[in-house]
Amino acid sequence: MTMRPIRIIGDPVLRTPSEPVTSFDAELRALVQDLMDTLLGAPGRAGVAAPQIGVNAQVFVYDADGHRGHLINPTLELSEERQDDDEGCLSIPGLYFPTQRAMHATAHGVDQHGQPLTITGSGFLARALQHETDHLHGRLYVDTLRGDTRRRALREIRAGRFDSPSRGR
């Protein structure tokens, strides 16, 4: 089991759009395994994207609403119906803010062997798919916040009011 350290806000890799995966080899399979080990290595985690462990590749793993897996080079189809619930991020540990997302999401991509893969989810799974795909584009959930919520989130981040990554969130 290789549980990799999570990169924290301020690390440039989190703001860099990831490169599409073009080689489906043993190195990619090892990355997927490291991501899954990192995801499952601490309780309460719903997903981990490659940039969060310092890798510039369009890969993420998820474990949400009884669904567990990985997706490479994802694209999303989102519903017009919205959900508004608290969201957090391993890269901004301990901070949670109400974040609007699509209620339903369908993610298209490929698996670690290059085979087409589609994941459809609602509620929490849809939120996780959107959150992890955002990471692959260099976006964090706080980027989607608006108004007073955004101002409060940025104030708390600037003040360093988030938990130590060693707390495993």
Side-chain angles (χ1 to χ4, degrees):
M1 178 180 219
T2 304
M3 194 166 152
R4 307 263 293 266
I6 299 292
R7 302 294 179 97
I8 301 300
I9 191 167
D11 188 317
V13 72
L14 296 172
R15 296 303 193 167
T16 304
S18 298
E19 295 295 323
V21 172
T22 57
S23 184
F24 298 85
D25 55 12
E27 186 176 334
L28 175 63
R29 288 187 294 282
L31 172 61
V32 169
Q33 186 61 56
D34 283 357
L35 285 165
M36 191 60 75
D37 289 349
T38 302
L39 172 67
L40 301 176
R45 294 181 171 182
V48 176
Q52 291 182 281
I53 63 168
V55 178
N56 185 339
Q58 289 188 14
V59 182
F60 70 78
V61 297
Y62 61 92
D63 185 14
D65 281 349
H67 300 273
R68 180 183 294 168
H70 69 277
L71 193 60
I72 298 166
N73 300 337
T75 60
L76 292 177
E77 294 175 29
L78 303 174
S79 70
E80 293 295 319
E81 185 181 358
R82 309 305 287 174
Q83 60 174 310
D84 195 10
D85 203 357
D86 280 353
E87 192 166 320
C89 181
L90 297 172
S91 294
I92 313 172
L95 292 185
Y96 300 86
F97 294 97
T99 305
Q100 192 172 96
R101 296 281 189 179
M103 178 59 81
H104 310 284
T106 299
H108 302 280
V110 296
D111 68 11
Q112 62 189 329
H113 305 289
Q115 297 302 308
L117 189 59
T118 299
I119 305 152
T120 299
S122 297
F124 187 61
L125 178 57
R127 179 176 294 281
L129 295 172
Q130 293 167 78
H131 181 108
E132 300 309 325
T133 299
D134 277 354
H135 275 300
L136 304 181
H137 297 287
R139 292 188 303 257
L140 298 172
Y141 84 98
V142 293
D143 299 334
T144 70
L145 303 177
R146 300 287 175 252
D148 289 340
T149 303
R150 180 173 174 79
R151 284 187 287 281
R152 189 177 50 146
L154 295 177
R155 217 175 14 255
E156 290 190 33
I157 290 167
R158 277 191 299 273
R161 292 188 191 132
F162 45 86
D163 290 341
S164 160
S166 63
R167 291 198 47 181
R169 293 198 182 211

Coordinates of all heavy atoms in Angstrom, one line a residue, residues 59-137:
V59 N -6.3 11.9 -14.1 CA -6.7 10.7 -13.5 C -7.3 11.0 -12.1 O -6.7 11.8 -11.4 CB -5.5 9.7 -13.3 CG1 -6.0 8.4 -12.7 CG2 -4.8 9.5 -14.6
F60 N -8.4 10.4 -11.8 CA -8.9 10.4 -10.4 C -9.5 9.1 -10.0 O -9.9 8.3 -10.8 CB -9.9 11.6 -10.2 CG -11.2 11.5 -10.8 CD1 -12.2 10.8 -10.3 CD2 -11.5 12.3 -11.9 CE1 -13.5 10.7 -10.8 CE2 -12.8 12.3 -12.5 CZ -13.8 11.5 -11.9
V61 N -9.6 8.9 -8.7 CA -10.3 7.8 -8.1 C -11.4 8.3 -7.2 O -11.4 9.5 -6.8 CB -9.4 6.9 -7.3 CG1 -8.3 6.2 -8.2 CG2 -8.7 7.6 -6.1
Y62 N -12.5 7.5 -7.0 CA -13.6 8.0 -6.1 C -14.2 6.8 -5.3 O -14.0 5.6 -5.7 CB -14.7 8.6 -7.0 CG -15.2 7.6 -8.0 CD1 -16.3 6.9 -7.8 CD2 -14.6 7.4 -9.3 CE1 -16.8 5.9 -8.7 CE2 -15.1 6.5 -10.2 CZ -16.2 5.8 -9.9 OH -16.6 4.8 -10.8
D63 N -14.8 7.1 -4.2 CA -15.5 6.2 -3.4 C -16.7 6.9 -2.8 O -16.5 7.6 -1.7 CB -14.6 5.6 -2.3 CG -15.2 4.5 -1.5 OD1 -16.3 4.0 -1.9 OD2 -14.6 4.2 -0.4
A64 N -17.8 6.9 -3.4 CA -18.9 7.8 -3.0 C -20.3 7.0 -3.3 O -20.4 6.5 -4.3 CB -18.9 9.1 -3.8
D65 N -21.1 7.1 -2.3 CA -22.5 6.5 -2.4 C -22.4 5.0 -2.9 O -23.2 4.6 -3.7 CB -23.3 7.3 -3.4 CG -23.9 8.6 -2.8 OD1 -23.8 8.7 -1.5 OD2 -24.5 9.4 -3.5
G66 N -21.4 4.3 -2.3 CA -21.4 2.9 -2.7 C -20.7 2.6 -4.0 O -20.7 1.4 -4.4
H67 N -20.2 3.6 -4.7 CA -19.5 3.4 -6.0 C -18.1 3.7 -5.8 O -17.7 4.8 -5.2 CB -20.1 4.3 -7.0 CG -21.6 4.1 -7.2 ND1 -22.1 3.1 -8.1 CD2 -22.7 4.6 -6.7 CE1 -23.4 3.1 -8.1 NE2 -23.8 4.0 -7.2
R68 N -17.2 2.8 -6.3 CA -15.8 3.0 -6.1 C -15.1 2.7 -7.5 O -15.5 1.7 -8.1 CB -15.2 2.1 -5.1 CG -13.7 2.2 -4.9 CD -13.2 1.2 -3.9 NE -13.7 1.5 -2.6 CZ -13.6 0.6 -1.6 NH1 -13.0 -0.6 -1.7 NH2 -14.1 1.0 -0.4
G69 N -14.2 3.6 -7.9 CA -13.5 3.3 -9.1 C -12.5 4.4 -9.5 O -12.1 5.2 -8.7
H70 N -12.2 4.4 -10.8 CA -11.3 5.4 -11.3 C -11.7 5.9 -12.7 O -12.5 5.2 -13.3 CB -9.8 4.9 -11.4 CG -9.6 3.9 -12.4 ND1 -9.9 2.5 -12.2 CD2 -9.2 4.0 -13.7 CE1 -9.7 1.8 -13.3 NE2 -9.2 2.7 -14.2
L71 N -11.3 7.0 -13.1 CA -11.6 7.5 -14.4 C -10.4 8.3 -14.9 O -9.8 9.1 -14.2 CB -12.9 8.4 -14.3 CG -13.5 8.8 -15.6 CD1 -14.0 7.6 -16.4 CD2 -14.7 9.7 -15.4
I72 N -10.2 8.2 -16.2 CA -9.1 8.8 -16.9 C -9.6 9.7 -18.0 O -10.5 9.2 -18.8 CB -8.1 7.8 -17.4 CG1 -7.5 7.0 -16.2 CG2 -6.9 8.4 -18.2 CD1 -6.8 5.7 -16.5
N73 N -9.1 10.9 -18.2 CA -9.4 11.8 -19.3 C -11.0 12.1 -19.3 O -11.6 11.9 -20.3 CB -9.0 11.3 -20.6 CG -7.5 11.1 -20.7 OD1 -6.7 11.8 -20.0 ND2 -7.0 10.3 -21.6
P74 N -11.5 12.5 -18.1 CA -13.0 12.6 -18.1 C -13.5 13.8 -18.8 O -12.9 14.9 -18.8 CB -13.3 12.7 -16.6 CG -12.0 13.3 -16.0 CD -10.9 12.8 -16.9
T75 N -14.8 13.7 -19.2 CA -15.6 14.8 -19.6 C -16.9 14.6 -18.9 O -17.3 13.5 -18.6 CB -15.8 14.8 -21.2 OG1 -16.5 13.6 -21.5 CG2 -14.5 15.0 -21.9
L76 N -17.6 15.7 -18.6 CA -18.8 15.7 -17.9 C -20.0 16.2 -18.6 O -19.9 17.1 -19.4 CB -18.7 16.5 -16.6 CG -17.7 16.1 -15.5 CD1 -17.7 17.1 -14.4 CD2 -18.1 14.7 -15.0
E77 N -21.2 15.5 -18.4 CA -22.5 16.1 -18.8 C -23.2 16.3 -17.5 O -23.3 15.4 -16.6 CB -23.2 15.0 -19.6 CG -22.7 14.7 -20.9 CD -23.4 13.6 -21.6 OE1 -24.7 13.4 -21.4 OE2 -22.8 12.8 -22.4
L78 N -23.7 17.6 -17.3 CA -24.3 18.0 -16.1 C -25.8 18.3 -16.3 O -26.1 18.9 -17.3 CB -23.6 19.2 -15.5 CG -22.1 18.9 -15.2 CD1 -21.4 20.2 -14.8 CD2 -21.8 17.8 -14.2
S79 N -26.6 18.0 -15.3 CA -28.0 18.4 -15.3 C -28.2 19.9 -15.0 O -27.3 20.5 -14.4 CB -28.8 17.6 -14.3 OG -28.4 18.0 -12.9
E80 N -29.3 20.4 -15.3 CA -29.6 21.8 -15.0 C -30.1 21.9 -13.5 O -29.9 22.9 -12.9 CB -30.8 22.3 -15.9 CG -30.4 22.5 -17.3 CD -29.3 23.5 -17.5 OE1 -29.4 24.6 -16.9 OE2 -28.4 23.3 -18.3
E81 N -30.6 20.8 -13.0 CA -31.1 20.7 -11.6 C -29.8 20.9 -10.7 O -28.8 20.3 -10.9 CB -31.8 19.4 -11.3 CG -32.4 19.3 -9.9 CD -33.0 18.0 -9.7 OE1 -33.1 17.1 -10.6 OE2 -33.5 17.8 -8.5
R82 N -30.0 21.7 -9.6 CA -28.8 22.0 -8.8 C -29.0 21.4 -7.4 O -30.1 21.1 -6.9 CB -28.7 23.5 -8.6 CG -28.7 24.3 -9.9 CD -27.7 23.8 -10.9 NE -26.3 24.2 -10.5 CZ -25.2 23.8 -11.2 NH1 -25.3 23.1 -12.2 NH2 -24.0 24.2 -10.8
Q83 N -27.9 21.2 -6.7 CA -27.8 20.8 -5.3 C -26.9 21.8 -4.6 O -26.0 22.3 -5.2 CB -27.4 19.4 -5.1 CG -26.0 19.1 -5.6 CD -25.5 17.7 -5.3 OE1 -25.5 17.3 -4.2 NE2 -25.0 17.0 -6.3
D84 N -27.2 22.1 -3.3 CA -26.4 23.0 -2.6 C -26.1 22.4 -1.2 O -27.0 22.2 -0.4 CB -27.1 24.3 -2.4 CG -26.2 25.5 -1.9 OD1 -25.0 25.3 -1.9 OD2 -26.8 26.5 -1.6
D85 N -24.9 21.9 -1.0 CA -24.5 21.2 0.2 C -23.1 21.6 0.6 O -22.4 22.1 -0.2 CB -24.7 19.7 0.0 CG -24.9 19.0 1.3 OD1 -24.9 19.6 2.4 OD2 -25.0 17.7 1.3
D86 N -22.7 21.3 1.8 CA -21.4 21.6 2.2 C -20.4 20.7 1.5 O -20.7 19.5 1.2 CB -21.2 21.3 3.7 CG -21.7 22.5 4.6 OD1 -22.1 23.5 4.0 OD2 -21.7 22.3 5.8
E87 N -19.3 21.3 1.1 CA -18.2 20.6 0.4 C -16.9 20.9 1.0 O -16.7 22.0 1.5 CB -18.3 21.0 -1.1 CG -17.4 20.1 -2.0 CD -17.7 20.3 -3.5 OE1 -18.9 20.5 -3.8 OE2 -16.8 20.3 -4.3
G88 N -16.0 19.9 1.0 CA -14.7 20.1 1.5 C -13.7 19.5 0.5 O -14.1 19.0 -0.5
C89 N -12.4 19.6 0.9 CA -11.4 19.1 0.0 C -10.1 18.7 0.8 O -9.7 19.4 1.7 CB -11.0 20.3 -1.0 SG -9.7 19.8 -2.2
L90 N -9.6 17.6 0.4 CA -8.3 17.2 1.1 C -7.2 18.2 1.0 O -6.3 18.3 1.9 CB -7.9 15.8 0.5 CG -8.8 14.7 0.7 CD1 -8.3 13.5 -0.1 CD2 -9.0 14.3 2.2
S91 N -7.2 19.0 0.0 CA -6.2 20.0 -0.3 C -6.4 21.3 0.5 O -5.6 22.2 0.5 CB -6.0 20.3 -1.8 OG -5.5 19.1 -2.4
I92 N -7.6 21.4 1.1 CA -7.9 22.5 2.0 C -8.6 21.9 3.2 O -9.7 22.0 3.5 CB -8.9 23.5 1.3 CG1 -8.5 23.9 -0.1 CG2 -9.0 24.8 2.2 CD1 -9.5 24.7 -0.9
P93 N -7.8 21.2 4.0 CA -8.3 20.3 5.1 C -9.1 21.1 6.1 O -8.6 22.2 6.6 CB -7.1 19.6 5.6 CG -5.9 20.3 5.1 CD -6.3 21.1 3.9
G94 N -10.2 20.5 6.5 CA -11.0 21.1 7.6 C -11.9 22.2 7.3 O -12.7 22.6 8.2
L95 N -11.9 22.7 6.1 CA -12.8 23.8 5.8 C -13.9 23.2 4.9 O -13.7 22.5 3.9 CB -12.1 24.9 5.0 CG -11.1 25.7 5.8 CD1 -10.6 26.9 4.9 CD2 -11.7 26.3 7.0
Y96 N -15.2 23.6 5.2 CA -16.3 23.1 4.5 C -17.3 24.3 4.2 O -17.5 25.0 5.2 CB -17.1 22.0 5.3 CG -16.2 20.8 5.5 CD1 -15.4 20.8 6.7 CD2 -16.2 19.7 4.7 CE1 -14.5 19.7 6.9 CE2 -15.4 18.6 4.9 CZ -14.5 18.6 6.0 OH -13.7 17.6 6.2
F97 N -17.7 24.4 3.0 CA -18.6 25.5 2.7 C -19.7 25.0 1.7 O -19.5 24.1 0.9 CB -17.8 26.6 1.9 CG -16.8 27.3 2.8 CD1 -15.5 26.9 2.8 CD2 -17.2 28.3 3.7 CE1 -14.5 27.4 3.6 CE2 -16.2 28.8 4.6 CZ -14.9 28.4 4.5
P98 N -20.9 25.7 1.8 CA -22.0 25.3 0.9 C -21.6 25.6 -0.5 O -21.2 26.7 -0.8 CB -23.2 26.2 1.4 CG -22.6 27.2 2.4 CD -21.3 26.7 2.8
T99 N -21.7 24.6 -1.3 CA -21.2 24.7 -2.7 C -22.2 24.2 -3.7 O -22.7 23.0 -3.5 CB -19.9 23.8 -2.9 OG1 -18.9 24.3 -1.9 CG2 -19.3 24.0 -4.2
Q100 N -22.6 25.0 -4.6 CA -23.6 24.6 -5.6 C -23.0 23.7 -6.7 O -21.9 24.0 -7.2 CB -24.3 25.8 -6.2 CG -25.5 25.4 -7.0 CD -26.3 26.6 -7.4 OE1 -26.1 27.1 -8.6 NE2 -27.1 27.1 -6.5
R101 N -23.6 22.6 -7.0 CA -23.2 21.7 -8.0 C -24.4 21.2 -8.7 O -25.6 21.3 -8.3 CB -22.5 20.5 -7.4 CG -21.2 20.8 -6.7 CD -20.1 21.0 -7.7 NE -18.8 21.0 -6.9 CZ -17.6 21.2 -7.5 NH1 -17.6 21.3 -8.9 NH2 -16.5 21.3 -6.9
A102 N -24.2 20.6 -9.9 CA -25.3 19.9 -10.6 C -25.8 18.7 -9.8 O -25.0 18.0 -9.1 CB -24.9 19.4 -12.0
M103 N -27.1 18.4 -9.8 CA -27.6 17.3 -9.0 C -27.3 16.0 -9.7 O -27.1 15.0 -9.0 CB -29.2 17.5 -8.9 CG -29.8 16.3 -8.2 SD -29.3 16.1 -6.5 CE -30.2 17.3 -5.7
H104 N -27.1 16.0 -11.0 CA -26.8 14.7 -11.7 C -25.7 15.0 -12.6 O -25.5 16.0 -13.2 CB -28.0 14.3 -12.6 CG -29.3 14.3 -11.8 ND1 -29.7 13.3 -10.9 CD2 -30.4 15.2 -11.8 CE1 -30.8 13.5 -10.4 NE2 -31.3 14.7 -10.9
A105 N -24.8 14.0 -12.7 CA -23.6 14.1 -13.6 C -23.3 12.7 -14.3 O -23.5 11.7 -13.6 CB -22.4 14.5 -12.8
T106 N -22.9 12.8 -15.5 CA -22.5 11.6 -16.2 C -21.0 12.0 -16.7 O -20.8 13.0 -17.3 CB -23.3 11.3 -17.4 OG1 -24.7 11.1 -17.0 CG2 -22.8 10.1 -18.2
A107 N -20.1 11.1 -16.3 CA -18.7 11.3 -16.6 C -18.3 10.2 -17.6 O -18.6 9.0 -17.4 CB -17.8 11.2 -15.4
H108 N -17.7 10.7 -18.7 CA -17.2 9.8 -19.8 C -15.7 9.9 -19.8 O -15.1 10.9 -19.6 CB -17.7 10.2 -21.1 CG -19.2 10.3 -21.3 ND1 -20.0 9.2 -21.5 CD2 -20.1 11.3 -21.2 CE1 -21.3 9.5 -21.5 NE2 -21.3 10.8 -21.3
G109 N -15.1 8.7 -19.9 CA -13.6 8.7 -20.0 C -13.2 7.3 -20.3 O -13.9 6.5 -21.0
V110 N -12.0 6.9 -19.8 CA -11.5 5.5 -20.0 C -11.0 5.0 -18.7 O -10.7 5.8 -17.8 CB -10.4 5.5 -21.1 CG1 -11.0 5.9 -22.5 CG2 -9.3 6.4 -20.8
D111 N -10.8 3.7 -18.7 CA -10.2 3.1 -17.5 C -8.7 3.0 -17.7 O -8.2 3.4 -18.7 CB -10.9 1.7 -17.2 CG -10.6 0.6 -18.3 OD1 -9.7 0.8 -19.1 OD2 -11.2 -0.4 -18.2
Q112 N -8.0 2.3 -16.8 CA -6.6 2.3 -16.8 C -6.0 1.4 -18.0 O -4.8 1.4 -18.3 CB -6.0 1.7 -15.5 CG -6.5 0.3 -15.2 CD -6.1 0.0 -13.8 OE1 -5.1 0.4 -13.2 NE2 -6.9 -0.9 -13.1
H113 N -6.9 0.7 -18.7 CA -6.5 -0.1 -19.9 C -6.9 0.6 -21.2 O -6.7 0.0 -22.2 CB -7.1 -1.5 -19.8 CG -6.8 -2.2 -18.5 ND1 -5.5 -2.6 -18.2 CD2 -7.5 -2.4 -17.4 CE1 -5.5 -3.2 -17.0 NE2 -6.7 -3.1 -16.5
G114 N -7.5 1.8 -21.1 CA -7.9 2.6 -22.3 C -9.3 2.2 -22.8 O -9.7 2.7 -23.8
Q115 N -10.0 1.4 -22.0 CA -11.4 1.0 -22.4 C -12.4 2.1 -22.0 O -12.3 2.7 -20.9 CB -11.7 -0.3 -21.7 CG -10.9 -1.5 -22.2 CD -10.9 -1.7 -23.7 OE1 -11.9 -1.8 -24.3 NE2 -9.7 -1.7 -24.3
P116 N -13.4 2.4 -22.8 CA -14.3 3.4 -22.5 C -15.1 3.1 -21.2 O -15.4 1.9 -20.9 CB -15.3 3.4 -23.7 CG -14.6 2.7 -24.8 CD -13.6 1.8 -24.1
L117 N -15.4 4.2 -20.5 CA -16.0 4.0 -19.2 C -17.0 5.2 -19.0 O -16.6 6.4 -19.3 CB -14.9 4.0 -18.1 CG -15.3 3.7 -16.7 CD1 -15.9 2.3 -16.6 CD2 -14.0 3.8 -15.8
T118 N -18.2 4.9 -18.5 CA -19.2 6.0 -18.2 C -19.7 5.7 -16.8 O -20.0 4.6 -16.4 CB -20.3 5.9 -19.2 OG1 -19.8 6.2 -20.5 CG2 -21.4 7.0 -18.9
I119 N -19.7 6.8 -16.0 CA -20.2 6.8 -14.6 C -21.3 7.8 -14.5 O -21.1 9.0 -14.9 CB -19.1 7.1 -13.6 CG1 -17.9 6.2 -13.8 CG2 -19.6 7.0 -12.2 CD1 -16.6 6.8 -13.4
T120 N -22.5 7.4 -14.1 CA -23.6 8.3 -13.9 C -24.0 8.3 -12.4 O -24.1 7.2 -11.8 CB -24.8 7.8 -14.8 OG1 -24.4 7.9 -16.1 CG2 -26.0 8.8 -14.6
G121 N -24.1 9.5 -11.9 CA -24.5 9.6 -10.5 C -25.3 10.8 -10.2 O -25.4 11.7 -10.9
S122 N -26.0 10.7 -9.0 CA -26.8 11.8 -8.5 C -26.3 12.1 -7.1 O -25.6 11.3 -6.5 CB -28.3 11.4 -8.5 OG -28.7 11.2 -9.8
G123 N -26.7 13.3 -6.6 CA -26.4 13.7 -5.3 C -24.9 13.7 -5.0 O -24.1 14.3 -5.7
F124 N -24.5 12.9 -3.9 CA -23.1 12.9 -3.5 C -22.1 12.4 -4.6 O -21.0 13.0 -4.8 CB -23.0 12.2 -2.2 CG -21.6 12.3 -1.6 CD1 -21.1 13.5 -1.2 CD2 -20.8 11.1 -1.4 CE1 -19.8 13.6 -0.6 CE2 -19.5 11.2 -0.8 CZ -19.1 12.4 -0.4
L125 N -22.5 11.3 -5.3 CA -21.6 10.8 -6.3 C -21.4 11.9 -7.4 O -20.3 12.1 -7.9 CB -22.2 9.5 -6.9 CG -21.3 8.9 -8.0 CD1 -19.9 8.7 -7.7 CD2 -22.0 7.6 -8.5
A126 N -22.5 12.5 -7.8 CA -22.4 13.6 -8.8 C -21.5 14.7 -8.4 O -20.6 15.2 -9.1 CB -23.8 14.2 -9.2
R127 N -21.6 15.1 -7.1 CA -20.7 16.1 -6.5 C -19.3 15.7 -6.6 O -18.4 16.4 -6.9 CB -21.2 16.4 -5.0 CG -20.3 17.4 -4.3 CD -20.9 17.7 -2.9 NE -22.2 18.3 -3.0 CZ -22.4 19.6 -3.2 NH1 -21.3 20.4 -3.4 NH2 -23.6 20.1 -3.2
A128 N -19.0 14.4 -6.2 CA -17.6 13.9 -6.2 C -17.1 13.9 -7.6 O -15.9 14.3 -7.8 CB -17.6 12.5 -5.6
L129 N -17.8 13.5 -8.6 CA -17.4 13.5 -10.0 C -17.0 14.9 -10.5 O -16.0 15.1 -11.1 CB -18.4 12.8 -10.9 CG -18.7 11.4 -10.7 CD1 -19.9 10.9 -11.6 CD2 -17.5 10.5 -11.0
Q130 N -17.8 15.9 -10.1 CA -17.6 17.2 -10.5 C -16.3 17.8 -9.8 O -15.5 18.4 -10.4 CB -18.8 18.1 -10.2 CG -20.0 17.8 -11.1 CD -21.3 18.4 -10.5 OE1 -21.5 19.6 -10.7 NE2 -22.1 17.6 -9.9
H131 N -16.2 17.5 -8.5 CA -15.1 18.0 -7.7 C -13.8 17.5 -8.2 O -12.8 18.2 -8.4 CB -15.4 17.6 -6.2 CG -14.3 18.0 -5.2 ND1 -14.5 19.0 -4.3 CD2 -13.0 17.6 -5.1 CE1 -13.4 19.2 -3.6 NE2 -12.5 18.3 -4.0
E132 N -13.7 16.2 -8.4 CA -12.5 15.6 -8.9 C -12.1 16.0 -10.3 O -10.9 16.3 -10.6 CB -12.5 14.0 -8.8 CG -12.7 13.5 -7.4 CD -11.8 14.1 -6.3 OE1 -10.6 14.3 -6.6 OE2 -12.2 14.3 -5.2
T133 N -13.1 16.1 -11.2 CA -12.8 16.6 -12.5 C -12.3 18.1 -12.5 O -11.4 18.4 -13.2 CB -14.1 16.5 -13.4 OG1 -14.5 15.1 -13.5 CG2 -13.8 17.0 -14.8
D134 N -12.9 18.9 -11.6 CA -12.3 20.2 -11.4 C -10.9 20.2 -11.1 O -10.1 21.0 -11.6 CB -13.1 21.0 -10.3 CG -14.4 21.6 -10.8 OD1 -14.7 21.6 -12.0 OD2 -15.1 22.1 -9.9
H135 N -10.4 19.3 -10.2 CA -9.0 19.2 -9.9 C -8.2 19.0 -11.1 O -7.1 19.6 -11.2 CB -8.7 18.1 -8.9 CG -8.9 18.4 -7.5 ND1 -8.2 19.4 -6.8 CD2 -9.7 17.8 -6.6 CE1 -8.6 19.4 -5.6 NE2 -9.5 18.5 -5.4
L136 N -8.6 18.3 -12.1 CA -7.9 18.0 -13.3 C -7.8 19.2 -14.2 O -6.9 19.3 -15.1 CB -8.5 16.8 -14.1 CG -8.7 15.5 -13.3 CD1 -9.3 14.5 -14.1 CD2 -7.4 15.1 -12.6
H137 N -8.6 20.2 -13.9 CA -8.6 21.5 -14.7 C -7.9 22.6 -13.9 O -8.0 23.8 -14.3 CB -10.0 21.9 -15.1 CG -10.6 20.9 -16.1 ND1 -10.2 20.7 -17.4 CD2 -11.5 19.9 -15.8 CE1 -10.9 19.8 -17.9 NE2 -11.7 19.3 -17.0

